[in-house]
Amino acid sequence: MGNLFVKKPKVTDVDKAILSLKTQRRKLGLYQQQLEAVIEAEKQAARDLIKEKRKERALLALKKKKAQEDLLKQVDAWVLNVEQQLADIELASKQRAVFESLRSGTEAIKAIQSEINLDDVQKLMDDSAEAKAYQDEINAILGEKLSAEDEEEILAEFETLESQIAIQDMPEVPTTVPTPDVVEETLDLPEVPKKAPVAANAEVDDAEIASKRKVLEEPLPA
Amino acid sequence: MQTLGNFKLPPFFNYPPYFTLQPVRDTREKQVQLWKELILDYCKTQKISVIGLEEEFPLFSNPAIERSLTHEAREAFLAALVSEGRAEWLDKGHRKCLILWHRIQDWADILLNFVKDNGLEDSVMTVEEIRSGPESRGTDLQGVDRIILMRALKLLEHKGKLAIFKGTSADDEGIKFSR
């Protein structure tokens, strides 16, 4: 029924020491107030006695006041000591807290690192490089395969297509405005010889030239 | 408006009927209500936490109109506060009453805020320091009644927010706040 385990903060000896010091500080504070009150009273008494011309008694009052003042100075020094020690304890406990966190941080890093073996990492990197190299090889081979075998076929197909298109283009010319096209065709002719280098091409070009000349002769008489 | 010290008294304080316990139920309820509020307000501003029924309490008499509350009237008003949870009888004879112008839970919350505002987590304080130390100056905690403070502290201890302990016999009671 509910939480039997009430997690109160643990009270350590350090805490008890702090409690003692703080109690002491408070009690000394009260004592200081007391002394200050007595000092003030004696001062006033001395004044009154001087007014009454009772020199002896006045001097006595002043002496008492002086004694109390010395006592007060001493108490002030004690209070400073207590405050200093409280500050030191505070500082020491904060230092310890910092040290603890740094230590647990270091332990955490060590634990994580211990899970990773350096040799394993090296092997992993090597495997990875191997796999990549293999992949590159495959790519190269695939790429080569395409260019070596098919490139010739592609070229041949390309030239066939080109000649087809050229032939197609010729008949079309008469249907459209003759003059500009004729000019264009004459422009075409000079180009054809450029493809002369390969023997096969040269034959094709001759055929082209022949066919083109034939066609040219037709529109002109018209 | 009359004042009691620096406390402004409400107008009804000057009407004699209010000092006599009214027999008619409706008027009695109104009267009780006004007195309850007045008592709480007054105690809050004057930081009074205990009312002794047999003692002279300035609020219970108005010499200007020559009226003061009878013992029966005082007891009636304070009993009303007790049943509302804003006061507690300190003894069976109903002679002393603890006034909770802040409920104990409110005091506990004030304490928790005090700890937070002053960064006191995980540190030690004496009970006296909480009442009269430099940190509590200007807050409600300054000069708070010891009984109320101990009650609130015990409540928080029960919840695990702090631990009450004593060092050597010469020490004050100490409080260790949790982090």
Side-chain angles (χ1 to χ4, degrees):
Chain A
M1 197 196 286
N3 206 0
L4 288 171
F5 197 46
V6 183
K7 32 181 168 70
K8 269 192 324 196
K10 271 218 174 84
V11 176
T12 63
D13 285 335
V14 176
D15 296 325
K16 294 201 177 145
I18 295 178
L19 182 63
S20 269
L21 285 168
K22 287 198 171 180
T23 308
Q24 216 40 50
R25 181 174 66 179
R26 186 183 67 84
K27 289 187 176 164
L28 285 175
L30 287 175
Y31 191 37
Q32 277 175 316
Q33 282 177 335
Q34 222 180 338
L35 287 174
E36 279 169 1
V38 172
I39 288 170
E40 201 45 50
E42 293 292 349
K43 218 192 315 188
Q44 190 53 45
R47 272 198 219 113
D48 294 337
L49 286 167
I50 288 175
K51 278 197 198 130
E52 292 170 21
K53 304 264 200 276
R54 292 165 75 186
K55 235 171 92 174
E56 292 287 333
R57 309 296 308 173
L59 275 172
L60 190 62
L62 284 173
K63 277 199 195 127
K64 279 206 265 181
K65 178 171 92 75
K66 185 75 174 57
Q68 300 287 318
E69 277 172 345
D70 288 340
L71 195 52
L72 182 61
K73 273 211 195 83
Q74 201 158 56
V75 175
D76 285 343
W78 292 342
V79 169
L80 276 173
N81 265 348
V82 170
E83 293 273 11
Q84 186 59 50
Q85 199 163 64
L86 274 170
D88 288 343
I89 291 184
E90 176 93 29
L91 185 64
S93 83
K94 297 271 184 283
Q95 278 175 341
R96 186 181 58 184
V98 170
F99 171 70
E100 294 280 357
S101 357
L102 285 175
R103 187 170 63 177
S104 60
T106 311
E107 277 171 26
I109 292 179
K110 276 209 216 136
I112 294 172
Q113 282 176 340
S114 69
E115 287 175 28
I116 304 174
N117 194 343
L118 259 175
D119 291 330
D120 289 342
V121 175
Q122 191 59 50
K123 187 167 185 309
L124 179 69
M125 294 306 286
D126 292 339
D127 286 346
S128 191
E130 244 186 75
K132 184 165 190 316
Y134 187 69
Q135 191 61 40
D136 287 342
E137 249 192 82
I138 294 178
N139 276 342
I141 293 172
L142 279 178
E144 280 171 28
K145 213 172 174 347
L146 212 58
S147 61
E149 285 192 349
D150 295 337
E151 195 166 344
E152 284 188 29
E153 287 183 23
I154 292 174
L155 259 174
E157 199 180 326
F158 173 65
E159 277 144 22
T160 323
L161 251 158
E162 222 185 356
S163 58
Q164 278 183 12
I165 289 174
I167 297 169
Q168 271 180 20
D169 281 343
M170 297 299 113
E172 280 175 15
V173 171
T175 54
T176 56
V177 180
T179 328
D181 283 336
V182 173
V183 176
E184 271 175 25
E185 277 184 60
T186 47
L187 284 173
D188 273 335
L189 293 173
E191 282 178 19
V192 173
K194 282 179 191 169
K195 291 174 190 165
V198 182
N201 284 351
E203 282 171 26
V204 174
D205 289 341
D206 284 338
E208 273 186 351
I209 294 169
S211 63
K212 279 181 188 171
R213 279 198 185 131
K214 267 193 204 154
V215 178
L216 254 177
E217 287 170 2
E218 285 170 26
L220 281 174
Chain B
M1 206 182 266
Q2 246 189 305
T3 57
L4 205 60
N6 51 2
F7 179 76
K8 278 216 193 87
L9 289 164
F12 81 81
F13 197 73
N14 285 320
Y15 299 155
Y18 280 99
F19 280 82
T20 321
L21 209 51
Q22 295 296 315
V24 177
R25 195 184 54 176
D26 285 345
T27 28
R28 164 81 75 103
E29 275 176 19
K30 184 153 178 268
Q31 182 190 29
V32 168
Q33 183 60 36
L34 287 171
W35 273 102
K36 276 199 312 196
E37 282 170 17
L38 175 57
I39 292 173
L40 279 179
D41 258 344
Y42 182 72
C43 288
K44 183 170 180 170
T45 50
Q46 306 300 310
K47 297 222 171 180
I48 296 171
S49 292
V50 178
I51 296 182
L53 256 76
E54 268 135 42
E55 290 155 18
E56 275 295 321
F57 193 58
L59 196 64
F60 289 159
S61 48
N62 187 351
I65 53 170
E66 289 176 0
R67 289 283 189 280
S68 34
L69 289 175
T70 60
H71 189 275
E72 195 197 348
R74 300 176 192 204
E75 205 177 332
F77 300 147
L78 289 173
L81 278 174
V82 172
S83 58
E84 209 190 320
R86 301 309 293 266
E88 273 181 32
W89 292 115
L90 286 172
D91 61 330
K92 287 227 168 69
H94 292 196
R95 280 198 298 275
K96 276 199 188 312
C97 191
L98 184 71
I99 308 296
L100 301 168
W101 32 270
H102 277 310
R103 293 175 207 277
I104 298 290
Q105 181 56 54
D106 297 337
W107 280 112
D109 291 336
I110 292 174
L111 270 168
L112 285 177
N113 280 334
F114 172 72
V115 170
K116 206 161 41 141
D117 290 341
N118 289 294
L120 295 173
E121 287 93 348
D122 208 26
S123 71
V124 173
M125 271 236 153
T126 72
V127 172
E128 280 306 313
E129 261 190 303
I130 297 175
R131 291 184 69 219
S132 52
E135 290 94 352
S136 64
R137 217 161 279 158
T139 68
D140 280 341
L141 284 169
Q142 189 183 11
V144 66
D145 184 86
R146 256 192 144 257
I147 305 172
I148 291 183
L149 182 58
M150 289 315 293
R151 289 274 200 86
L153 288 171
K154 288 220 175 72
L155 177 68
L156 287 172
E157 186 179 26
H158 192 68
K159 288 198 186 157
K161 301 270 191 210
L162 51 87
I164 305 177
F165 69 103
K166 219 164 166 22
T168 67
S169 58
D171 292 340
D172 288 341
E173 270 183 285
I175 311 290
K176 176 159 187 185
F177 300 105
S178 58
R179 43 182 98 214

